[in-house]
Amino acid sequence: MHDIYIELVLSAIQEQYGTESLFYENNLGISDEKWTSWKNGRTTLAPEENQKVKNLFSDYEWMLLQKVLRQTIIYPEKRGVAVSEYRKMKTEIARKWLNIGLGTVEMSQAKEENNANQFLNLRVGIQYDEWGFDDILTFRLPATLQQHLENEQVALLDWVNENLEETYNK
C-alpha cells in the first residue's frame, strides 16, 4: 500500500509543483536524501512534514485517496491504475456535484515564482455554510483553456461536463 500512496502523493506534487524538488525543498525543507528515503519506505517524516504532504489534498480529496487505497487492498488488480482511478473519480464526482446543482465552480489563474508556466486552478465544491466543512475538489489545468473558454463563450458548467475528464486525465 505504501507504493500506491507514494504514487498518489507524487501525482499531486507533479500537478501542483511541477517537480518533487520544488515541493520537498521549499515546503518540507528536507534534503533529497531524506525525501528519497521516505519515498522508499526507509524513514518517516516528522508530523509537521506529514501534515504538509496531507495538505496537498483537500479534506474531500484525502478521503477519496483513502478509498482508492482501500480498493487496491481489496482488489490487487487495481494497484496499477490507482492514480488514474483517483483522477477519474475526482472528475466524475465534480461533474455529478455540478449536474445536480449542489456544486459551485470557481476558476482562477495562477503563476508561480519558481515555475514559468501559468495554470488555471479550477475548484469545484459544495458549501455547507459551516466553517471548515466544505467539500472541495481542485484541478490544475493549462492556462490556455481560459482563453478557449472566454473566446468560445462556453459556459463553464458545459465545459466541465464535456471536457474536464479528458483534459485533467491526460
Side-chain angles (χ1 to χ4, degrees):
M1 184 170 86
H2 178 76
D3 293 343
I4 306 303
Y5 172 68
I6 297 299
E7 286 180 36
L8 290 162
V9 166
L10 294 179
S11 174
I13 290 170
Q14 184 66 35
E15 180 180 335
Q16 295 175 36
Y17 292 89
T19 67
E20 291 177 47
S21 61
L22 280 176
F23 177 72
Y24 68 74
E25 288 172 359
N26 297 339
N27 285 33
L28 300 182
I30 63 173
S31 68
D32 179 56
E33 293 80 21
K34 183 170 182 181
W35 179 250
T36 302
S37 290
W38 175 76
K39 286 192 320 184
N40 294 328
R42 293 191 306 265
T43 190
T44 59
L45 296 175
E48 303 83 27
E49 295 163 344
N50 272 322
Q51 186 60 47
K52 290 178 181 178
V53 170
K54 187 179 177 193
N55 287 343
L56 290 165
F57 305 92
S58 71
D59 290 342
Y60 194 88
E61 291 167 339
W62 185 253
M63 179 271 310
L64 183 59
L65 178 141
Q66 299 304 313
K67 285 184 173 190
V68 169
L69 288 176
R70 187 183 67 214
Q71 289 291 316
T72 64
I73 293 168
I74 297 169
Y75 305 104
E77 64 273 13
K78 293 218 175 232
R79 291 180 184 157
V81 296
V83 172
S84 61
E85 190 76 9
Y86 170 79
R87 294 170 70 89
K88 180 182 125 201
M89 288 310 302
K90 268 180 69 171
T91 58
E92 184 64 26
I93 292 165
R95 195 173 26 234
K96 286 191 184 224
W97 286 354
L98 293 171
N99 283 335
I100 62 175
L102 281 175
T104 59
V105 63
E106 298 173 16
M107 183 174 59
S108 64
Q109 193 166 355
K111 184 176 185 324
E112 297 169 353
E113 293 177 21
N114 299 330
N115 194 339
N117 296 326
Q118 291 188 353
F119 298 96
L120 186 62
N121 290 321
L122 192 70
R123 177 181 159 142
V124 178
I126 298 176
Q127 298 172 350
Y128 301 110
D129 297 326
E130 290 290 331
W131 182 84
F133 286 94
D134 294 352
D135 287 332
I136 300 166
L137 294 168
T138 57
F139 304 90
R140 176 163 278 195
L141 306 168
T144 54
L145 291 175
Q146 185 171 8
Q147 294 170 346
H148 170 73
L149 291 169
E150 290 171 354
N151 292 343
E152 299 292 324
Q153 296 191 356
V154 175
L156 191 53
L157 178 57
D158 292 339
W159 185 89
V160 167
N161 276 324
E162 296 170 12
N163 301 298
L164 179 61
E165 186 170 357
E166 179 183 317
T167 304
Y168 182 67
N169 294 330
K170 281 186 184 179

